[in-house]
Amino acid sequence: MKKKMMSKMKRFALNASVIAGVILGLAACDNELNTIGSDILGADQLNDRIKKQDFDVVAFNEVLGPVQTNNFGSMPLGSYTDPVYGRTDYSFVSQLDLPTSNPSFGIDPVLDSVVINLPYFSTATDFDGEATTYEVDSLYGTEAITLQIYRNNFLLNDFDINDVTSQAVYYSDLGQVIDAQKGALILDHSFYPDSREVIIQSVDEDGEESEIERLSPRLRVQLDRTYWQNVIIDAAGTTGLSSNNNFRNYFRGLYFKVSSITGQGHLSLIDIENATVDFYLKINVQDVSDLDNDGDTDEVNIIDTEFTLSFGGNNVSLFDNSLRDTALTTIIQGADDSSLGEERLYLKGGSGSLVLIDLFGPDLDMNGEADALTEIIANQWIINDASLTFYVDQSAVNAGSTEPERIIIYNYDDNAVLVDYIFDQAADKSGHLGVLERLDIDDGSSQGVKYRVRLTDHITSVLNGDIENVRLAVAVTRNVNSISTSKVKNPNIVDEILTGSAISHEGTILHGNLSSDADKRLKLEIYYSETTN
């Protein structure tokens, strides 16, 4: 468990003030640089006077284990095999919500069909009249998987049963519990995502088809009518459908269990916020308002109607990761020397591993500050650029699309992004968090070379005394803009990670500060200008 000098409440308040102070400080710094230009050595030839110096860092690994997964905005579904870290199957469990309390299905309702809709995240790439061409986003792998949908019998609570003032937290290893308590099998289906738009048609009494709606790509499958007639339609008027709270106890959701057909399969992301179970019914309704103006208010009309259950409440992603069963876990656990650092750095999203970094080397005089940092502060350097370059260990990593495009660095103590992140105006934060550089920048299948992370504003803030020289964390991320936090179930050193890392499936291996290849060792590179006293 990480050691902290103050309570979280106090620390968060401090973070806000520090960020505000840094912003004001840097603005003031800009003005100051304009006025002290004559103090810079060779100000008229500044480009010739910028110097470079490398500083030691200590980087080591930390295995995470199960992570919080009931706070994802999307649900991974499928199977993914990482060349280094092995296969992970991604299942999930989700509660369903009624559209209204005490739904009424009229007189003698007839259920025509029940359809489950699981939209993929997709992008429209072309338009031709009413037709739209799509590309499915975040699709990995080329082979089908088998999906089994069960009734979930495990009660997912909104609040922590040990502390009702806190939201419930569910972790990636909940799958064993869910599977042991699963109910009836509702669907057994093999598929691969289809990128074509879905066209919904209706058939009239004469057998003529007409187009009703066009939908983005999704898994859309009919379910057994008899099961849902018994569970939902025939339950109208009972306590189970009287409110959403009662419904979540009566019908505790659906369990989506994934298994790969060939051992490879595919992984996609489901837009869970727009997923539905749709009921198409014919209901008998008495025409008490004489809507057809025939004067008869006792007649019963047959009406086609729809009833929709949404995926609300708790949605929990479930990881079944072979990493936990391999010798690789032991290797990573052994590569955790926080004093000297490590030769290799292991990054794996989800319940995998991340890297912790201490900047500026050792504190030999034991004054609480790294010796190199003390010297830089005394020299009053102006920082022109500061960065960490992480080289991919190409001897250990397979080249290609399985290499993560992005990594993220942040303040480990507070799980907060750095000031460089805040000041980076690019939507993808690429000025601060460099995208993976490949041998061929135009070929996504070519060998990954390095990631460059700029820390210029962070280092300047440290030297100015605006923030402490805190420990940093580095992780793979699926989305650099996903910077909320997910808890770690069994914290050793790390008790929270960024949610963009928790949902990430990819991994890589990087050269550490003790790499046998001296040219690729991790180090802090600083370009600076000196000032005269």
Side-chain angles (χ1 to χ4, degrees):
M1 192 79 77
K2 68 176 75 167
K3 296 181 179 178
K4 301 178 181 178
M5 296 295 292
M6 60 191 75
S7 69
K8 285 190 175 181
M9 183 177 296
K10 289 181 180 177
R11 191 177 66 236
F12 291 156
L14 179 61
N15 287 345
S17 64
V18 165
I19 290 173
V22 168
I23 292 173
L24 293 174
L26 289 176
C29 184
D30 286 340
N31 294 331
E32 185 176 315
L33 287 177
N34 288 334
T35 60
I36 65 171
S38 58
D39 291 333
I40 301 175
L41 292 178
D44 57 336
Q45 298 177 354
L46 182 58
N47 291 335
D48 295 330
R49 296 294 184 172
I50 293 176
K51 299 179 180 180
K52 175 181 180 290
Q53 187 165 331
D54 297 337
F55 294 90
D56 291 337
V57 302
V58 173
F60 60 100
N61 303 282
E62 179 68 14
V63 173
L64 297 171
V67 296
Q68 180 184 0
T69 58
N70 66 319
N71 58 345
F72 292 172
S74 58
M75 281 291 114
L77 180 67
S79 181
Y80 180 80
T81 300
D82 187 279
V84 175
Y85 296 96
R87 168 177 153 178
T88 303
D89 291 333
Y90 294 86
S91 303
F92 71 91
V93 61
S94 178
Q95 292 175 318
L96 298 176
D97 276 352
L98 295 168
T100 183
S101 298
N102 276 320
S104 174
F105 302 113
I107 305 168
D108 298 326
V110 175
L111 184 58
D112 279 345
S113 62
V114 182
V115 178
I116 189 166
N117 278 283
L118 300 178
Y120 308 117
F121 286 93
S122 58
T123 301
T125 58
D126 192 24
F127 302 92
D128 184 7
E130 294 184 354
T132 304
T133 301
Y134 289 92
E135 181 177 299
V136 176
D137 303 333
S138 304
L139 177 59
Y140 309 90
T142 59
E143 299 173 355
I145 59 169
T146 296
L147 173 65
Q148 295 172 323
I149 303 178
Y150 296 89
R151 181 172 180 171
N152 171 46
N153 285 332
F154 179 81
L155 180 61
L156 296 167
N157 292 292
D158 290 335
F159 298 98
D160 188 333
I161 59 175
N162 297 314
D163 179 9
V164 294
T165 63
S166 300
Q167 293 292 119
V169 175
Y170 292 102
Y171 295 94
S172 54
D173 64 344
L174 187 65
Q176 293 182 354
V177 175
I178 298 295
D179 196 69
Q181 299 184 34
K182 64 181 181 290
L185 177 64
I186 295 171
L187 178 70
D188 191 340
H189 180 67
S190 297
F191 74 101
Y192 183 81
D194 192 333
S195 62
R196 293 175 296 181
E197 66 179 333
V198 175
I199 301 175
I200 309 299
Q201 295 181 319
S202 66
V203 180
D204 61 21
E205 295 177 352
D206 299 324
E208 295 292 327
E209 293 184 348
S210 60
E211 182 180 308
I212 299 177
E213 189 177 12
R214 290 175 177 265
L215 303 172
S216 63
R218 63 196 57 216
L219 177 63
R220 180 178 168 86
V221 184
Q222 288 202 13
L223 305 177
D224 179 63
R225 287 182 300 169
T226 302
Y227 176 81
W228 292 99
Q229 176 78 41
N230 295 333
V231 170
I232 301 297
I233 306 303
D234 293 347
T238 66
T239 303
L241 272 63
S242 63
S243 69
N244 254 326
N245 284 337
N246 287 339
F247 179 65
R248 289 178 182 177
N249 185 42
Y250 162 68
F251 190 88
R252 297 183 175 182
L254 296 175
Y255 167 37
F256 296 77
K257 182 178 181 180
V258 165
S259 61
S260 175
I261 295 175
T262 64
Q264 295 296 320
H266 72 268
L267 175 65
S268 62
L269 282 176
I270 301 299
D271 181 4
I272 196 68
E273 294 181 358
N274 290 301
T276 58
V277 179
D278 299 325
F279 295 71
Y280 298 90
L281 306 101
K282 293 185 184 299
I283 62 174
N284 298 297
V285 179
Q286 184 177 349
D287 189 12
V288 295
S289 300
D290 192 22
L291 296 177
D292 56 5
N293 297 315
D294 65 355
D296 185 356
T297 58
D298 293 325
E299 68 178 340
V300 175
N301 294 327
I302 299 176
I303 298 176
D304 290 323
T305 188
E306 297 179 20
F307 173 78
T308 296
L309 298 176
S310 59
F311 284 66
N314 276 298
N315 307 298
V316 186
S317 184
L318 311 171
F319 305 166
D320 184 4
N321 185 0
S322 62
L323 171 62
R324 67 185 183 195
D325 300 321
T326 68
L328 184 58
T329 303
T330 304
I331 294 174
I332 301 173
Q333 288 173 334
D336 62 349
D337 191 330
S338 60
S339 298
L340 299 177
E342 291 296 339
E343 180 179 359
R344 280 179 166 178
L345 304 178
Y346 298 87
L347 297 181
K348 172 66 172 71
S351 55
S353 58
L354 52 69
V355 168
L356 302 178
I357 297 178
D358 295 326
L359 300 179
F360 293 110
D363 175 21
L364 298 178
D365 59 12
M366 303 296 289
N367 70 344
E369 183 174 86
D371 300 340
L373 178 58
T374 302
E375 181 180 352
I376 297 173
I377 294 173
N379 290 336
Q380 297 183 330
W381 288 356
I382 295 174
I383 305 303
N384 304 111
D385 186 79
S387 64
L388 292 168
T389 300
F390 297 86
Y391 286 92
V392 176
D393 188 339
Q394 296 174 332
S395 66
V397 174
N398 288 8
S401 60
T402 57
E403 294 185 75
E405 289 293 318
R406 307 302 298 273
I407 61 174
I408 190 167
I409 190 167
Y410 57 97
N411 180 331
Y412 154 76
D413 289 341
D414 296 338
N415 294 301
V417 294
L418 305 184
V419 67
D420 298 79
Y421 182 101
I422 297 169
F423 288 158
D424 191 342
Q425 297 301 306
D428 64 354
K429 304 298 180 182
S430 56
H432 166 45
L433 305 169
V435 179
L436 174 64
E437 297 179 29
R438 297 180 182 271
L439 287 175
D440 183 347
I441 60 174
D442 297 320
D443 182 2
S445 64
S446 68
Q447 182 83 57
V449 178
K450 62 184 177 181
Y451 305 86
R452 185 172 185 234
V453 175
R454 284 191 171 87
L455 304 175
T456 308
D457 294 322
H458 175 74
I459 297 300
T460 298
S461 299
V462 171
L463 299 185
N464 289 342
D466 297 322
I467 60 175
E468 297 293 325
N469 179 31
V470 295
R471 175 169 285 176
L472 305 179
V474 177
V476 296
T477 181
R478 193 183 68 80
N479 182 356
V480 296
N481 294 303
S482 181
I483 56 175
S484 59
T485 59
S486 293
K487 296 181 182 298
V488 175
K489 183 177 182 180
N490 303 309
N492 178 23
I493 296 179
V494 177
D495 56 13
E496 290 183 337
I497 63 172
L498 301 186
T499 302
S501 299
I503 198 174
S504 176
H505 61 281
E506 294 173 317
T508 189
I509 300 177
L510 308 172
H511 287 272
N513 62 294
L514 298 183
S515 172
S516 57
D517 187 337
D519 292 335
K520 295 182 178 178
R521 286 178 184 164
L522 178 64
K523 53 187 175 290
L524 175 63
E525 299 175 299
I526 294 182
Y527 290 86
Y528 65 95
S529 302
E530 294 179 329
T531 59
T532 58
N533 295 320

